[in-house]
């Protein structure tokens, strides 16, 4: 079944906060996100990959205006749980390709990665769902990334919403 | 605005494949997912967090029946690009909480993490979108996780679809 790519979206108003070397045991993710939620900070992406040596990294994105507040909480939690330093970066853009049709989800993802790779755009983070492939890249490549992805995936026959 | 949690879903038919220490430069994600897509392997989650020392880990999930095929490709790519060993694990379950309403997304995520943490369930991976919080846990906790999340988030007033 063909995948219908319905569009390329991007969000430049995001900053990422990474808490490194979070002990990989129950309850740790809650230690970070309970205060984040209590402070009313809006979170978009949360990404955590598997831990390999008893610890793992936790990254989440917030509106850039909330960077300092989020970093302060992450740094405090880091001290409390013995994690590594928390760090933030605001010069990022989240680019998402929305598609319909599960069977070729891997195909859409592969095309997203190939298209960006061909332009020399490094993919900092990847998070996918059944209908969406999202990547985080350096904000300076925003226009280029959106254009080449649109041309490749939407421009040659895909539908636009 | 309140978040309406519409349900808790789970998928036990997933295996994760992790390619460790992938060089964090343009084109590498494509090197893995092009052959994966070409072999017709259905991919659900793709998770990659930020690289911190020039490399990062790439994890993706496939139906358990495709574990060997996916691991073979990942191992081959690993050799070609100088990444670390590829590994797989099938005893996992992806649990997703679907909610509507962005403002309290962090609140839903925090509640998911707290609820699982309280039961001693370790969260191996996290991937979120605007409407969904997905975690990967050990498959042996499937029934417990779904029950406690449902009771906490859907049982006390949330809507079920
Ligand atoms: C790292 C963090 O996610 C931890 N594994 C937890 O379950 O809370
Ligand atoms: C690790 C991998 O995602 C790499 N950064 C790339 O852009 O392909």
């Amino acid at each position: 079944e063909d995948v219908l790519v319905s569009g390329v979206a991007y969000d430049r108003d995001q900053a990422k906060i990474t808490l490194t070397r979070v002990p990989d045991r129950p309850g740790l993710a809650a230690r970070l996100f309970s205060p984040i939620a209590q402070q009313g900070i809006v979170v978009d992406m949360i990404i955590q990959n598997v831990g390999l040596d008893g610890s793992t990294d936790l990254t989440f994105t917030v509106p850039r205006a909330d960077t300092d507040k989020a970093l302060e909480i992450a740094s405090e939690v880091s001290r409390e749980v013995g994690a590594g330093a928390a760090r933030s970066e605001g010069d990022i853009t989240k680019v998402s390709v929305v598609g319909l049709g599960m069977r070729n989800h891997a195909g859409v993802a592969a095309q997203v990665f190939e298209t960006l790779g061909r332009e020399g755009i490094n993919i900092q983070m990847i998070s996918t769902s059944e209908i969406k492939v999202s990547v985080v890249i350096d904000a300076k490549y925003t226009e280029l990334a959106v254009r080449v992805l649109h041309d490749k995936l939407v421009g040659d026959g895909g539908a636009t919403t």
Side-chain angles (χ1 to χ4, degrees), chain A:
Chain A
E1 131 218 355
D2 284 338
V3 176
L4 198 73
V5 173
S6 65
V8 180
Y10 68 96
D11 184 353
R12 281 192 79 132
D13 180 28
Q14 296 215 2
K16 65 182 178 186
I17 314 289
T18 297
L19 194 49
T20 58
R21 292 195 304 284
V22 178
D24 189 15
R25 55 172 196 264
L28 273 291
R31 292 285 296 270
L32 174 60
F33 287 99
S34 293
I36 289 285
Q38 278 159 19
Q39 295 290 319
I41 295 174
V42 173
V43 171
D44 183 30
M45 302 172 89
I46 301 173
I47 289 185
Q48 177 198 306
N49 208 338
V50 293
L52 293 169
D53 57 356
S55 75
T56 187
D57 301 330
L58 251 173
T59 298
F60 61 102
T61 64
V62 300
R64 282 188 200 177
D66 294 336
T67 306
D68 290 348
K69 199 167 157 196
L71 183 62
E72 185 175 351
I73 293 171
S75 302
E76 173 62 25
V77 171
S78 166
R79 278 189 291 275
E80 286 171 10
V81 306
R87 59 189 78 180
S88 69
E89 191 193 326
D91 286 335
I92 58 164
T93 292
K94 173 187 169 186
V95 179
S96 299
V97 172
V98 181
L100 307 163
M102 180 59 189
R103 185 178 299 270
N104 270 326
H105 174 81
V108 172
Q111 286 184 306
V112 170
F113 305 151
E114 285 160 10
T115 304
L116 296 177
R118 204 154 36 230
E119 301 299 328
I121 298 171
N122 193 50
I123 298 165
Q124 300 180 8
M125 291 156 65
I126 302 170
S127 174
T128 64
S129 70
E130 292 89 335
I131 57 161
K132 196 196 291 190
V133 177
S134 292
V135 298
V136 168
I137 61 172
D138 190 315
K140 72 185 181 189
Y141 293 119
T142 304
E143 291 74 10
L144 175 61
V146 172
R147 175 161 49 81
V148 294
L149 287 173
H150 189 277
D151 289 351
K152 175 68 184 173
L153 293 167
V154 184
D156 52 18
T160 32
T161 40

